[in-house]
Amino acid sequence: MRGLGFIKTAIGGIAAYELLKLMKAGSKQVLRPPGASDEDEFLALCTRCGKCNQACPYKSINMGTSNMGLGLGTPFINERDSPCWLCEDFPCVQACPTTALSGIEKRTDVEMGIAVIDEDVCIAYQGLRCEVCYRECPFTDEAIKINYSIRPGDSPGEVSHHAIFAPVIDEEHCVGCGICVHRCPVDDPKVPIKVDPRKTGGLL
Amino acid sequence: MKKWMISRKSVQFFIIILFLSPIFLVDVPGTNFFYGSLSSSELFGIQLSDPLGALAVTFASKQIVWGFIGSAFIVFIFYLIISGRVFCSWVCPVNTLLELTDSLRKRFKKLPDVQFKLNTKIHLAVLVLILSFAIGIPIFELISPIGNTLRNLLFVWGIGVFIILAIILFDFFVSRRGWCRYFCPVGGFYSSIGGAGQLRVKIDQEKCTSCMQCKKECFSHPSILDPAINGEKSFVVSGDCSLCGACIDACNHEALSIGLRPYKERSKQIQIPNEVKGEEM
């Protein structure tokens, strides 16, 4: 009966392989802590130990639950609740036993993602002077700049003419820490700024 | 007197307190003298990692992270020298939980005890590594009841509860200590190196009356005690033995003890004809 046991295991193994492959394809992209490698590589390297979670002094790093599919137990950041505050010494990266989080020496090395502004919802684009994201950004005037313009339709010289102080993201400098998202005063109908998690390539 | 039982329970309790200590002692758990989980932890700046997890990560990522391998190697060598499955009965929090299940189970007489092959867990450990390699994800780290127990205690309440509950129900209604004995890949990994351990349960044949009290209490599987009781061996050879000491506590004749592995079989040992399998060390 030895052969039968092997066949059973093989069938079970193949079934598990197909199921897991499906789950992997369905895993959605989330904001990872600083220094996370490419998503496939990250999922392979992360041993789900939770040390980064414990090392974070701001409790910004959460551990994935089953709704993250194969990302179960992996660290992620909910930037609206608590963003990455970009510690000088990056304790999360230092705590990582594998190189799932690695390669960060200074703040500008971080590439968690890039902030994106929804211009239809952002009040600055509607003519209110806000600038919260611009001032809260750790890279003010680098990652977020203010684009001054006169409101469309208004012309200089008229009494009612109005300036627009529109925040603009510089993709070169934005590290994706999410502090802007955390600080944004608008949440109705939605938060007008979000972080698009880092671009990913394939490992295999 | 249940000397081994008491010392083992104390160690188990200490281990749980150690893993939970970062929560109580400091504001930021990562600044504690100890933090992490059983996948990987840090004790006074020394990294310690689970060897099976480290293998799975290495296979999944197809790259060697030396620092990580080194941290797993420390743990590997430790268990290789004492005896692999010492982890199971002295450290593993899931076993701590399942022991409670087992002691509850003893109150009910008619529960079934389905037997599986002891090697199944080693096969599963290999399967876990192959699947990790094929999928590119250390899959056992996701579903591992050990990882999930600590994850639920330390980080986030989640699906792990159901996995642990399923195992408890399985152990209770289907097979006595079934998960630990037959299926846990971590136990499988440690059992595969267990035979090389230097600490062994030794038997004094002159004192043994073959009353089989020890077999009733054995945590791993009663069958592993047979070669010693029959007189084929002077110690428990099987890598499945977790040195829990339950058999020693159960023995009324002080025939059993834990000690260094004897390398010379005593000469008065009964010689079995066609003694071929006796050479395994």
Side-chain angles (χ1 to χ4, degrees):
Chain A
M1 295 305 266
R2 250 186 101 79
L4 195 65
F6 178 76
I7 291 167
K8 271 190 216 160
T9 315
I11 291 172
I14 291 166
Y17 173 73
E18 291 298 334
L19 190 72
L20 287 164
K21 222 168 57 171
L22 270 176
M23 279 178 75
K24 190 176 180 183
S27 295
K28 63 177 179 203
Q29 192 96 70
V30 288
L31 193 63
R32 298 290 185 192
S37 29
D38 160 89
E39 184 72 8
D40 278 352
E41 200 180 341
F42 180 78
L43 284 175
L45 278 169
C46 177
T47 183
R48 282 93 171 145
C49 66
K51 278 156 91 177
C52 50
N53 165 302
Q54 292 182 305
C56 180
Y58 301 101
K59 301 192 177 8
S60 294
I61 299 178
N62 310 299
M63 304 306 287
T65 53
S66 47
N67 60 11
M68 277 172 68
L70 293 183
L72 176 68
T74 55
F76 70 98
I77 289 176
N78 186 339
E79 70 275 25
R80 181 68 175 170
D81 292 343
S82 182
C84 172
W85 293 97
L86 298 173
C87 309
E88 286 287 347
D89 53 347
F90 292 98
C92 50
V93 179
Q94 284 179 19
C96 184
T98 72
T99 49
L101 304 177
S102 62
I104 305 289
E105 270 161 24
K106 48 188 192 302
R107 291 169 148 193
T108 46
D109 291 340
V110 177
E111 282 179 342
M112 292 161 62
I114 289 166
V116 183
I117 296 173
D118 186 336
E119 298 179 5
D120 293 335
V121 185
C122 174
I123 54 174
Y125 280 87
Q126 316 310 318
L128 283 167
R129 188 164 184 185
C130 171
E131 294 182 8
V132 168
C133 53
Y134 167 74
R135 288 172 198 283
E136 291 291 336
C137 178
F139 304 100
T140 296
D141 276 330
E142 289 172 43
I144 302 187
K145 294 168 183 159
I146 292 292
N147 190 8
Y148 307 92
S149 63
I150 291 174
R151 189 164 65 177
D154 294 1
S155 58
E158 269 182 58
V159 184
S160 69
H161 84 261
H162 213 100
I164 285 180
F165 295 80
V168 180
I169 311 287
D170 183 337
E171 297 191 0
E172 282 288 299
H173 292 101
C174 178
V175 299
C177 64
I179 294 174
C180 48
V181 182
H182 178 62
R183 291 294 201 211
C184 181
V186 180
D187 60 2
D188 187 30
K190 62 169 187 164
V191 183
I193 190 164
K194 66 179 169 94
V195 178
D196 266 356
R198 71 209 187 292
K199 293 268 188 305
T200 58
L203 176 69
L204 297 173
Chain B
M1 199 178 79
K2 303 217 162 192
K3 171 176 87 160
W4 284 100
M5 166 88 130
I6 292 164
S7 40
R8 206 167 48 80
K9 291 278 175 204
S10 331
V11 171
Q12 285 178 334
F13 183 70
F14 171 75
I15 295 282
I16 291 176
I17 294 298
L18 182 69
F19 277 96
L20 295 184
S21 68
I23 300 176
F24 307 121
L25 295 183
V26 288
D27 282 342
V28 180
T31 55
N32 197 25
F33 72 97
F34 176 90
Y35 72 104
S37 61
L38 274 167
S39 296
S40 183
S41 58
E42 201 169 311
L43 178 66
F44 296 115
I46 302 167
Q47 300 243 3
L48 302 167
S49 302
D50 165 32
L52 183 69
L55 275 180
V57 165
T58 307
F59 282 168
S61 64
K62 287 97 183 162
Q63 48 184 286
I64 293 173
V65 183
W66 288 109
F68 187 43
I69 299 284
S71 66
F73 196 65
I74 300 173
V75 178
F76 176 75
I77 290 294
F78 175 77
Y79 286 118
L80 185 70
I81 290 173
I82 55 170
S83 184
R85 288 197 72 203
V86 164
F87 169 83
C88 300
S89 65
W90 292 74
V91 178
C92 180
V94 174
N95 173 62
T96 309
L97 205 64
L98 292 177
E99 261 178 55
L100 296 178
T101 313
D102 192 37
S103 54
L104 194 68
R105 196 188 139 98
K106 276 183 192 149
R107 292 163 193 242
F108 301 86
K109 291 287 172 220
K110 295 269 176 173
L111 290 167
D113 183 5
V114 182
Q115 305 282 310
F116 301 88
K117 286 210 177 93
L118 289 177
N119 275 346
T120 310
K121 55 184 179 298
I122 301 183
H123 297 163
L124 283 178
V126 174
L127 186 70
V128 159
L129 291 179
I130 294 173
L131 275 177
S132 297
F133 182 83
I135 306 210
I137 283 174
I139 49 153
F140 190 62
E141 301 300 314
L142 272 73
I143 52 166
S144 157
I146 306 169
N148 274 304
T149 305
L150 285 169
R151 198 176 295 143
N152 282 320
L153 289 175
L154 293 169
F155 311 121
V156 60
W157 199 248
I159 193 169
V161 180
F162 298 107
I163 295 173
I164 295 157
L165 201 66
I167 290 171
I168 291 177
L169 291 177
F170 177 75
D171 270 23
F172 194 87
F173 289 109
V174 182
S175 177
R176 178 171 178 233
R177 295 189 52 77
W179 171 257
C180 298
R181 282 180 178 177
Y182 315 110
F183 298 115
C184 177
V186 175
F189 174 80
Y190 282 126
S191 116
S192 71
I193 62 167
Q198 294 305 305
L199 285 181
R200 299 276 86 183
V201 170
K202 297 200 281 191
I203 189 164
D204 187 336
Q205 311 286 3
E206 282 164 13
K207 287 182 182 167
C208 177
T209 57
S210 301
C211 67
M212 305 295 172
Q213 280 303 317
C214 49
K215 286 182 72 174
K216 274 188 197 147
E217 294 300 324
C218 182
F219 267 43
S220 295
H221 196 276
S223 66
I224 66 170
L225 282 158
D226 285 341
I229 298 172
N230 296 346
E232 289 168 38
K233 292 281 169 187
S234 63
F235 60 95
V236 175
V237 185
S238 170
D240 263 7
C241 174
S242 63
L243 295 182
C244 65
C247 52
I248 303 170
D249 283 343
C251 184
N252 292 323
H253 312 281
E254 291 174 358
L256 296 164
S257 62
I258 289 182
L260 283 177
R261 158 200 291 268
Y263 271 99
K264 260 188 182 168
E265 293 280 301
R266 274 169 305 168
S267 52
K268 60 183 167 188
Q269 193 78 46
I270 312 150
Q271 287 295 317
I272 299 163
N274 297 327
E275 167 78 77
V276 188
K277 57 185 178 194
E279 283 171 12
E280 57 185 84
M281 260 297 174

